[in-house]
Amino acid sequence: MTRFLRALFGFALIIVVFMIGLLTWQPGSVAYKDVVLYVVVIGAAYWLSYVFFFLLGKGELLSSLQWVVSVVLFVTLVLTLYVGETRYGSKRWLNGVQVSEFSKLLLLPGLFKSSGTYLLVGLISAFLVILEPDLGTGLIIAASVIIGSFVKMLKGRNTNMIWTVIIAAIVVLPVVFSYSLELRQGVVARIAEMPTFHEHWEDRFQNWADPLRDPFGESYQTLSALNSLGQSAGFGKGIGMLTTLPVSWADYAFAELVRKFGLLSGLLVLMLLGLLVQLILNWGGRSKYYVAAVLMLHVIVNLYTVANVLPATGIPLPFVGRALQNSVVLSALTGAALGEAT
């Protein structure tokens, strides 16, 4: 398979997942032209990023700009903290741009010459994002930078095995908390004592610790998502059934999808995303482990949020739902990883 065909296959996977995700949108909530606009913007981000890194990612030109990239990252994130617009409890918007999302793109390893500088800049950026406070995105950035840096340092020595072990650990460890209400409440009590704990997180952590504490108020979204998962047997309830999810098109889109079309529809989306990650790992360039980690962590955190294994984070399932800026960034990351390939 040639480089262009691999890139085309990756883009096709993204569009197929996006089109399946359209099924979670409420009928009449979006016009046909808006869907076309979404596809065009996502496609433009993917192919522009692919061509940019295909042409410039081979030499030292991009990596020589690491300090320029670092300054842009820090300035925009600090500006967001002081003059950013607050939405959904977080001050993460600067003139309509969700800076925390686009910081993922600026943290591509291909834009940095020194691994040590990259790791330091990545962790500082993640901390600034957490201060917004956007805990979910900040932790994903930190984890992706660490995983990408660590696996890359192995230089081919059992990297696939190490990658599998890391992802398996991330999948398994949070499940421990799903079987003990007392353990969850103890974790929340300890986290609440941290100096950086923000009031914006309190309801989310309390709903995670005890989803029955306010079933018709703060916990309603969580309980509705769990109810939707419970209705996913067979072929689901069909597209004509009204949803009970207040926000079914955002980070709880997976629950809405399986409620309408059954568990197999959700497994199909996860399989397609798995193929995309495998494509990146097999054929990507210098940034492939970072990009694969970002995608995998989005999938894991989103599914665990829907199942209430983790507190609500606002992290969407990649390319599913109406998180346009997130989809644009993830598309650009995928295009960059494939464009860097030799």
Side-chain angles (χ1 to χ4, degrees), residues 24-342:
T24 66
W25 299 15
Q26 292 303 303
S29 65
V30 64
Y32 173 76
K33 64 178 182 180
D34 294 328
V35 175
V36 174
L37 178 62
Y38 266 59
V39 173
V40 169
V41 173
I42 291 172
Y46 181 91
W47 289 111
L48 286 174
S49 183
Y50 175 83
V51 171
F52 181 79
F53 280 88
F54 175 78
L55 295 176
L56 303 176
K58 305 298 185 298
E60 299 293 326
L61 176 61
L62 292 183
S63 58
S64 65
L65 300 175
Q66 64 176 3
W67 296 113
V68 175
V69 173
S70 302
V71 169
V72 171
L73 259 172
F74 293 155
V75 169
T76 53
L77 287 172
V78 171
L79 277 175
T80 303
L81 286 175
Y82 285 96
V83 299
E85 179 184 353
T86 301
R87 300 184 192 179
Y88 312 112
S90 295
K91 186 180 286 188
R92 51 184 173 179
W93 300 80
L94 194 62
N95 292 328
V97 175
Q98 196 170 349
V99 178
S100 57
E101 288 294 340
F102 284 91
S103 63
K104 299 172 188 173
L105 187 57
L106 291 176
L107 284 169
L108 276 164
L111 298 175
F112 291 81
K113 180 180 295 184
S114 167
S115 299
T117 301
Y118 171 71
L119 184 60
L120 179 63
V121 170
L123 294 179
I124 293 175
S125 299
F127 178 71
L128 291 174
V129 170
I130 291 174
L131 291 180
E132 291 182 359
D134 188 352
L135 182 63
T137 301
L139 291 179
I140 281 184
I141 290 173
S144 300
V145 168
I146 292 171
I147 292 172
S149 300
F150 175 72
V151 177
K152 184 185 173 185
M153 284 192 303
L154 299 175
K155 296 181 180 178
R157 293 173 293 182
N158 300 320
T159 50
N160 288 336
M161 183 186 71
I162 297 297
W163 168 264
T164 303
V165 169
I166 292 173
I167 296 301
I170 293 173
V171 169
V172 171
L173 289 178
V175 179
V176 174
F177 297 104
S178 66
Y179 294 101
S180 173
L181 178 61
E182 182 179 351
L183 182 58
R184 290 191 187 198
Q185 292 175 339
V187 170
V188 171
R190 287 185 176 274
I191 292 176
E193 295 174 355
M194 295 172 59
T196 55
F197 188 79
H198 202 277
E199 291 182 5
H200 170 60
W201 302 336
E202 184 173 357
D203 285 333
R204 296 185 176 192
F205 275 90
Q206 293 293 348
N207 292 338
W208 168 69
D210 184 8
L212 295 176
R213 74 183 188 95
D214 188 12
F216 299 105
E218 295 292 341
S219 304
Y220 183 74
Q221 176 90 346
T222 300
L223 292 175
S224 296
L226 293 173
N227 182 57
S228 295
L229 293 178
Q231 299 178 39
S232 64
F235 295 100
K237 297 299 182 181
I239 199 168
M241 295 292 291
L242 293 176
T243 182
T244 58
L245 280 167
V247 187
S248 61
W249 44 264
D251 42 324
Y252 286 86
F254 183 83
E256 181 68 3
L257 180 67
V258 298
R259 185 191 71 86
K260 286 182 175 178
F261 301 101
L263 188 59
L264 288 178
S265 64
L267 293 177
L268 174 61
V269 168
L270 297 182
M271 183 191 72
L272 293 173
L273 291 173
L275 281 175
L276 182 62
V277 170
Q278 194 61 46
L279 180 71
I280 293 169
L281 290 175
N282 287 343
W283 303 107
R286 180 182 172 189
S287 303
K288 64 180 181 180
Y289 292 114
Y290 168 75
V291 176
V294 170
L295 286 169
M296 285 299 299
L297 289 172
H298 270 75
V299 172
I300 295 168
V301 171
N302 179 266
L303 294 183
Y304 277 1
T305 297
V306 172
N308 200 40
V309 176
L310 289 175
T313 58
I315 301 298
L317 192 64
F319 314 112
V320 177
R322 293 167 66 174
L324 178 59
Q325 295 194 41
N326 179 267
S327 296
V328 167
V329 168
L330 295 184
S331 297
L333 286 173
T334 305
L338 295 176
E340 286 178 332
T342 56

